[in-house]
């Protein structure tokens, strides 16, 4: 698959505060980029801007290929059994092979359980299954590893690596270290606006 | 894609399938049941004022589903995910409007039959009342959807939406209940026109409200 994500001279805003500015980034098929930075530095805002959900304060975001976003909101109905909640997105995505996604995330035994009874890690895996089934070339992952056990962390890291090997793009915001070949790192704090020195009276 | 979306919304909101979705109909019938107890079993008085009571009950019943109409799916990120798949907020709001009306309009119209019996309404009054509700409930649904999206990101949104709906619903109430007072159907045309206008702007207003809520 051919995909591209181009961010040029982007400035992100949250409320009336500018979080980052002058950010340019080009990701081609096969690229993986790790966004790092302290809490509140604007990782989520950057990802949501890249997804086109937030209007950039300045600059542009262009993407070639469908975009899949995984954040803390999975979009799965809490009252429905996991199987049916995933089936809704399967219908929206026109996905034929949702079983592969369910098996890849080890959710086979959980399909009858309402989403609200799932643990944090299980819910995260359900969100990842939804993302895999979407089959979008560009993945924007906001803390994909938080709440996962060590085995699942390895699985998800391998999943991201495989996605990039097959021509996908991954932009991952995470506090954990990611062991993926060819991973570039974007230190978001470098793009924080300079604070003007206080004028001395 | 639209069918899948409509199916999900209907499953959520339709009475007896969605959680607590039968509440508006039960509330509507409860008002019709309580009113004769409150004013006494004076049949002519009930027949004269009953139609207006049904309208008020319908208006108040329209408030009940508002708190879960939009806010929950914003929290769940459903609209975000739909947007990524090319379903704009306007489309998802148009679908939601259809599902919202289907889940409270027709059940309310059906519940008007037992309510009319409780309030001693005659055949002609019932006829005008049913036509009025058919013309007016889409408008009530549209106002409800717009208000629910506007107040979705507020903490006291549910309480506020009730207060906001009442003044906006006044034109529908005036013309709808006014038709009963004069026993002529002409003013129902106004109700239908107001409803049509509201239904036409609701998806755009609600869609813009959801985008604004996202920007925070």
């Amino acid at each position: 698959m051919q995909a591209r994500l181009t961010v040029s001279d982007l400035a992100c805003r949250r409320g009336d505060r500018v979080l980052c500015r002058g950010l340019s980034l080009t990701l081609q098929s096969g690229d993986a980029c790790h966004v790092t930075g302290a809490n509140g530095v604007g990782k989520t805002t950057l990802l949501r801007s890249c997804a086109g959900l937030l209007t950039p304060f300045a600059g542009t975001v262009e993407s070639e290929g469908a975009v899949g976003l995984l954040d803390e909101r999975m979009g799965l109905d809490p009252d429905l059994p996991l199987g049916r909640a995933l089936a809704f997105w399967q219908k929206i995505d026109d996905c034929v092979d949702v079983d592969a996604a369910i098996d890849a995330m080890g959710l086979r035994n959980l399909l009858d359980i309402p989403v609200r009874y799932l643990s944090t890690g299980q819910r995260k895996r359900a969100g990842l299954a939804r993302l895999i089934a979407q089959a979008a070339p560009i993945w924007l992952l906001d803390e994909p590893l938080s709440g996962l056990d060590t085995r699942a962390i390895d699985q998800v890291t391998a999943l991201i690596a495989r996605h990039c090997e097959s021509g996908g793009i991954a932009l991952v915001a995470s506090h954990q270290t990611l062991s993926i070949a060819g991973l570039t790192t974007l230190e978001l704090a470098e793009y924080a606006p300079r604070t003007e020195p206080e004028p001395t009276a | 894609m639209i069918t899948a979306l409509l199916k999900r919304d209907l499953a959520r909101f339709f009475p007896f399938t969605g959680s607590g979705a039968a509440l508006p109909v039960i509330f509507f019938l409860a008002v019709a049941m309580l009113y004769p107890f409150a004013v006494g079993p004076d049949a002519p008085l009930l027949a004269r004022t009953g139609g207006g009571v049904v309208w008020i009950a319908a208006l108040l019943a329209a408030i009940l589903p508002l708190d879960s109409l939009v806010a929950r799916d914003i929290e769940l990120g459903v609209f975000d995910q739909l947007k990524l798949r090319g379903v704009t907020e306007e489309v998802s709001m148009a679908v939601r409007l259809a599902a919202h009306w289907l889940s409270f309009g027709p059940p309310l119209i059906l519940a008007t039959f037992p309510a009319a019996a409780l309030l001693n309404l005659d055949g002609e009054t019932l006829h005008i009342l049913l036509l009025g509700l058919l013309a007016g409930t889409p408008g009530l649904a549209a106002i409800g959807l717009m208000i629910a999206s506007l107040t979705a990101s507020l903490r006291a949104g549910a309480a506020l939406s009730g207060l906001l709906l009442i003044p906006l619903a006044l034109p529908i109430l005036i013309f709808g209940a006014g038709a009963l007072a004069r026993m002529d159907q002409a003013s129902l045309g106004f109700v239908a026109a107001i409803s049509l206008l509201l239904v036409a702007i609701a998806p755009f207003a609600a869609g813009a409200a959801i985008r604004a809520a996202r920007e925070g």
Side-chain angles (χ1 to χ4, degrees), chain A residues 75-77 79-91 102 110-115, chain B residues 7-8 11-12 17:
Chain A
L76 300 170
D77 276 305
D79 299 331
L80 290 184
L82 176 61
R84 277 178 56 201
L86 285 173
F88 165 70
W89 290 110
Q90 181 195 359
K91 263 183 275 172
I102 288 167
L110 302 173
L111 291 182
D112 295 332
I113 298 174
V115 173
Chain B
K7 258 196 192 145
R8 170 184 183 270
R12 274 268 321 279
T17 58

Side-chain angles (χ1 to χ4, degrees), chain A residues 13 15 48 51-55 67-69 73-79 88-89 91-93 130 134, chain B residues 1 4-5 7-8 12 19 72-85 87 214-216:
Chain A
R13 179 182 63 95
R48 288 176 71 79
L53 294 171
L54 297 178
T55 325
V67 175
L69 172 73
R73 295 183 284 190
M74 304 302 162
L76 300 170
D77 276 305
D79 299 331
F88 165 70
W89 290 110
K91 263 183 275 172
I92 295 283
D93 288 330
R130 190 211 66 215
Q134 190 190 349
Chain B
M1 192 183 265
L5 202 54
K7 258 196 192 145
R8 170 184 183 270
R12 274 268 321 279
S19 47
R72 211 184 72 139
D73 279 349
I74 290 186
E75 266 166 48
L76 286 177
V78 172
F79 296 125
D80 292 352
Q81 293 296 335
L82 285 172
K83 175 72 182 288
L84 290 176
R85 288 155 174 83
V87 184
R214 209 180 262 150
E215 301 276 345

Side-chain angles (χ1 to χ4, degrees), chain A residues 20 44 51 53 55 62 192:
Chain A
C20 61
T44 300
L53 294 171
T55 325
E62 281 166 37

Side-chain angles (χ1 to χ4, degrees), chain B:
Chain B
M1 192 183 265
I2 301 293
T3 344
L5 202 54
L6 187 64
K7 258 196 192 145
R8 170 184 183 270
D9 284 0
L10 276 177
R12 274 268 321 279
F13 300 117
F14 213 69
F16 310 112
T17 58
S19 47
L23 223 53
V25 176
I26 294 170
F27 177 83
F28 176 79
L29 282 174
V31 173
M33 216 180 304
L34 286 175
Y35 185 67
F37 286 114
V39 301
D42 180 356
L45 178 71
L46 284 179
R48 206 172 63 243
T49 56
V53 170
V54 170
W55 264 103
I56 293 175
L59 203 153
L60 294 179
I63 296 174
L64 288 180
L66 293 191
D67 62 332
S68 64
L69 193 57
V70 177
R72 211 184 72 139
D73 279 349
I74 290 186
E75 266 166 48
L76 286 177
V78 172
F79 296 125
D80 292 352
Q81 293 296 335
L82 285 172
K83 175 72 182 288
L84 290 176
R85 288 155 174 83
V87 184
T88 59
E89 292 82 4
E90 282 78 9
V91 173
S92 41
M93 281 296 109
V95 172
R96 174 91 11 134
L97 176 60
H100 175 43
W101 181 74
L102 283 172
S103 60
F104 104 92
L108 225 56
I109 289 167
L110 284 180
T112 305
F113 288 97
L118 288 165
L119 296 167
N120 191 33
L121 302 182
D122 57 39
E124 201 188 341
T125 313
L126 179 63
H127 178 68
I128 294 179
L129 190 58
L130 288 174
L131 282 178
L133 286 177
L134 189 64
T137 43
L140 291 180
I143 299 173
L145 182 78
M146 285 188 271
I147 289 175
S149 342
L150 279 168
T151 56
S153 52
L154 304 177
R155 235 179 318 147
L160 189 63
S161 55
L163 286 178
L164 284 170
L165 183 126
I166 290 169
L168 291 172
L170 267 184
I172 292 178
L173 184 70
I174 288 170
F175 289 114
L180 290 167
R182 277 175 284 110
M183 279 302 187
D184 89 70
Q185 297 175 13
S187 66
L188 293 184
F190 276 114
V191 178
I194 296 167
S195 274
L196 200 63
L197 182 72
L198 288 167
V199 167
I201 60 173
F204 298 99
I210 286 178
R211 271 195 300 273
R214 209 180 262 150
E215 301 276 345

Side-chain angles (χ1 to χ4, degrees), chain A residues 1-197:
Chain A
M1 46 187 156
Q2 270 306 313
R4 179 203 289 271
L5 179 72
T6 316
V7 174
S8 44
D9 204 23
L10 181 76
C12 296
R13 179 182 63 95
R14 173 141 185 87
D16 47 11
R17 219 156 51 89
V18 174
L19 294 173
C20 61
R21 48 119 195 75
L23 197 159
S24 295
L25 177 74
T26 306
L27 296 177
Q28 310 263 17
S29 279
D31 287 351
C33 179
H34 184 187
V35 184
T36 59
N39 297 134
V41 80
K43 297 188 294 296
T44 300
T45 310
L46 171 67
L47 256 55
R48 288 176 71 79
S49 300
C50 288
L53 294 171
L54 297 178
T55 325
F57 184 53
T60 54
V61 174
E62 281 166 37
S63 55
E64 243 171 73
V67 175
L69 172 73
L70 176 81
D71 54 10
E72 81 281 16
R73 295 183 284 190
M74 304 302 162
L76 300 170
D77 276 305
D79 299 331
L80 290 184
L82 176 61
R84 277 178 56 201
L86 285 173
F88 165 70
W89 290 110
Q90 181 195 359
K91 263 183 275 172
I92 295 283
D93 288 330
D94 249 338
C95 167
V96 278
D97 200 11
V98 77
D99 286 331
I102 288 167
D103 287 331
M105 282 298 112
L107 298 168
R108 182 63 54 195
N109 302 327
L110 302 173
L111 291 182
D112 295 332
I113 298 174
V115 173
R116 67 171 182 278
Y117 292 132
L118 297 181
S119 74
T120 314
Q122 287 169 336
R123 208 168 296 185
K124 184 75 66 166
R125 271 153 51 198
L128 281 156
R130 190 211 66 215
L131 179 77
I132 300 169
Q134 190 190 349
I138 303 174
W139 280 6
L140 305 173
L141 311 175
D142 193 1
E143 296 295 345
L145 303 181
S146 69
L148 293 179
D149 57 33
T150 40
R151 210 178 114 243
I153 287 180
D154 292 342
Q155 263 180 349
V156 172
T157 322
L159 180 77
I160 299 170
R162 249 199 333 274
H163 173 71
C164 293
E165 272 165 31
S166 61
I169 290 175
L171 186 61
V172 189
S174 177
H175 294 295
Q176 270 100 333
T177 45
L178 294 165
S179 43
I180 297 170
L183 185 77
T184 53
T185 304
L186 178 77
E187 179 59 57
L188 206 53
E190 286 169 18
Y191 298 94
R194 268 184 299 274
T195 41
E196 297 293 324

